[in-house]
Amino acid sequence: MSEKIDVVVIGGGYAGVMAANRLTQRAEVAVTVINPRARFVERIRLHQLVGGTDDAVTEYSEVLATGVRLLVDAVTGIDAAGRTVALAGGDTIGYDYLIYAVGSGSAAPRVPGAAEFAYPIASLEEAQRLAPVLDGTAATATVTVVGAGPTGIETAAELAEQGRAVTLICGDVLGPYLHARGRRAVAKRLTALGVTILEGSDAKVVEVTEDAVRLSGGHILRSAVTVWTAGFGVPDLAARSGLRTDAVGRLLTDETLTSIDDERIVAAGDSAAPSNLPFRMSCQAAGPLGAHAADTILHRITDQRPDPIDLGFAGQCISLGRHAGVFQFADKDDAAKWYHLGGRPGAKLKEFVCGHTIKQLATEARKPGTHTWAKGDQRAQLLRDRTDTDAARSAAPIGHR
């Protein structure tokens, strides 16, 4: 019998679970997923948890292959030289290969008062902390949502649909990813739900207090509850462990998703920065990146050359309460197109996407190696263009750089 090859996956989110399931193709691979929670978090439903329409969790038995070991703990450090990870519980786990899939969370807010008085919802615990606060707040009290990306839009719509008075502070523009036509559709639906939308240079939050927010234009808005959805960050585990990261903290890798510091460490999901040109943080990217990370390790185990990542996008799906939504179509390289699907069909498509994401994980658990994804068009050219530009800058006289 072949000697077991131990693969440790740090993180049990969309990317980590997909990677772990895919690795079970080979009987000699022993897979351990280390995750601080005993249940899988459907992060794309956290706004529903806040609104009371879903608990945003699924049992790991539904999405994780039976042969995968789940270790409920948190990793506090990676010893790349010794091929071990240290756990918060005090144990040390060894590995032959490591998949770094720690995901992302709320970025530390730099606005005075935001950390003390605003409620982020990028994690299960954050959403669970906010839900009872809202339950204990009068329905007529103003709830302010800061940040107009998908999380902010979905949270504002979810709460407004329940009859709450909601103000959405965009900081700049509503739905920056969206095409202008899709943006107008979102604004129309939010307005119909009663959401007050504040956009533009005067609509940047400069201070948060216990019962108000102050804007860059000088206005002070009363706010019984302030929800903070402005920006995502990644855990600093890689940097603390001496591995090189990008400016945000994502693990720097080559195009096979292998760490530029150690070929035994492969990254996936929101915490990966292949060629310092990361993909958009999303569950849409997490599944394929998790699968590709597993493929990279499986190639190395069988002495094959790993392939470069090739990932295409379809668009962005945003729920606008339980009865409407918008699917913003995009080209394969993630640029929004002029057309979108809205209204009730948009809501149905969003719900299909949420359910299908779980189904994809479950299918890969039962039939590892079957998950496929769309491929991109221009990434290779973007990398070549960047290389040419860097070379030109290096060759230019100092006074002309």
Side-chain angles (χ1 to χ4, degrees):
M1 182 178 292
S2 300
E3 184 177 347
K4 285 290 185 180
I5 299 170
D6 292 313
V7 181
V8 167
V9 181
I10 306 177
Y14 298 104
V17 169
M18 180 62 76
N21 289 343
R22 200 171 185 89
L23 286 166
T24 62
Q25 291 176 78
R26 298 193 66 85
E28 72 271 29
V29 177
V31 187
T32 298
V33 172
I34 304 174
N35 192 64
R37 305 173 191 88
R39 302 176 77 187
F40 179 84
V41 177
E42 292 189 64
R43 186 170 173 181
I44 54 179
R45 290 192 187 275
L46 287 177
H47 64 286
Q48 289 186 252
L49 189 160
V50 169
T53 59
D54 200 281
D55 62 6
V57 292
T58 296
E59 298 299 330
Y60 271 110
S61 59
E62 296 184 23
V63 296
L64 198 60
T66 55
V68 175
R69 175 195 179 198
L70 175 64
L71 180 57
V72 181
D73 209 329
V75 175
T76 58
I78 302 168
D79 179 358
R83 294 184 195 165
T84 62
V85 296
L87 304 180
D91 291 335
T92 299
I93 304 295
Y95 65 83
D96 294 303
Y97 291 93
L98 179 73
I99 292 183
Y100 187 81
V102 298
S104 62
S106 300
R110 298 179 180 179
V111 172
E116 294 83 3
F117 301 114
Y119 293 85
I121 60 168
S123 72
L124 177 66
E125 292 76 17
E126 290 170 342
Q128 289 174 332
R129 173 175 168 245
L130 173 59
V133 173
L134 287 169
D135 289 341
T137 303
T140 55
T142 299
V143 176
T144 302
V145 179
V146 181
T151 303
I153 292 170
E154 291 183 328
T155 303
E158 198 78 22
L159 297 178
E161 193 174 65
Q162 296 175 2
R164 290 193 175 275
V166 179
T167 296
L168 178 61
I169 302 178
C170 302
D172 187 11
V173 64
L174 176 69
Y177 176 90
L178 301 171
H179 186 277
R181 291 166 62 102
R183 187 173 298 117
R184 286 195 293 271
V186 170
K188 182 178 179 180
R189 173 60 180 172
L190 289 175
T191 300
L193 289 171
V195 176
T196 299
I197 303 169
L198 300 180
E199 297 182 87
S201 59
D202 288 342
K204 299 181 187 297
V205 176
V206 296
E207 184 183 12
V208 179
T209 66
E210 187 175 6
D211 59 0
V213 295
R214 184 162 63 90
L215 303 183
S216 52
H219 290 88
I220 297 177
L221 306 177
R222 292 297 173 188
S223 178
V225 180
T226 301
V227 184
W228 196 268
T229 71
F232 290 106
V234 298
D236 64 352
L237 176 61
R240 285 190 288 107
S241 301
L243 299 168
R244 281 179 285 179
T245 65
D246 69 0
V248 175
R250 291 170 287 217
L251 184 67
L252 285 172
T253 75
D254 63 15
E255 283 295 283
T256 73
L257 304 184
T258 303
S259 166
I260 62 174
D261 296 310
D262 191 322
E263 69 174 11
R264 296 279 180 153
I265 300 176
V266 181
D270 290 353
S271 54
S275 302
N276 205 12
L277 188 66
F279 297 94
R280 171 164 57 91
M281 292 183 178
S282 62
C283 73
Q284 187 175 174
L289 289 172
H292 191 88
D295 288 346
T296 290
I297 290 176
L298 293 173
H299 276 80
R300 287 221 165 87
I301 288 172
T302 55
D303 295 323
Q304 299 178 65
R305 183 176 180 178
D307 296 321
I309 181 65
D310 191 354
L311 169 61
F313 285 79
Q316 188 176 83
C317 207
I318 301 175
S319 68
L320 298 170
R322 297 298 88 212
H323 306 292
V326 163
F327 186 87
Q328 172 65 69
F329 289 91
D331 63 27
K332 292 181 179 180
D333 295 294
D334 208 23
K337 296 183 178 180
W338 65 269
Y339 53 93
H340 65 275
L341 181 68
R344 187 170 291 276
K348 290 183 177 180
L349 181 55
K350 167 71 179 199
E351 185 57 33
F352 170 80
V353 168
C354 290
H356 187 64
T357 301
I358 294 298
K359 184 178 179 181
Q360 287 177 330
L361 297 176
T363 299
E364 189 70 15
R366 296 192 310 270
K367 302 176 181 178
T370 57
H371 183 64
T372 59
W373 58 92
K375 304 301 188 284
D377 289 329
Q378 300 179 12
R379 184 173 178 85
Q381 185 60 51
L382 287 173
L383 291 170
R384 284 193 295 269
D385 291 345
R386 190 178 66 178
T387 298
D388 292 343
T389 300
D390 290 344
R393 286 176 178 170
S394 296
I398 293 178
H400 295 276
R401 293 180 187 175

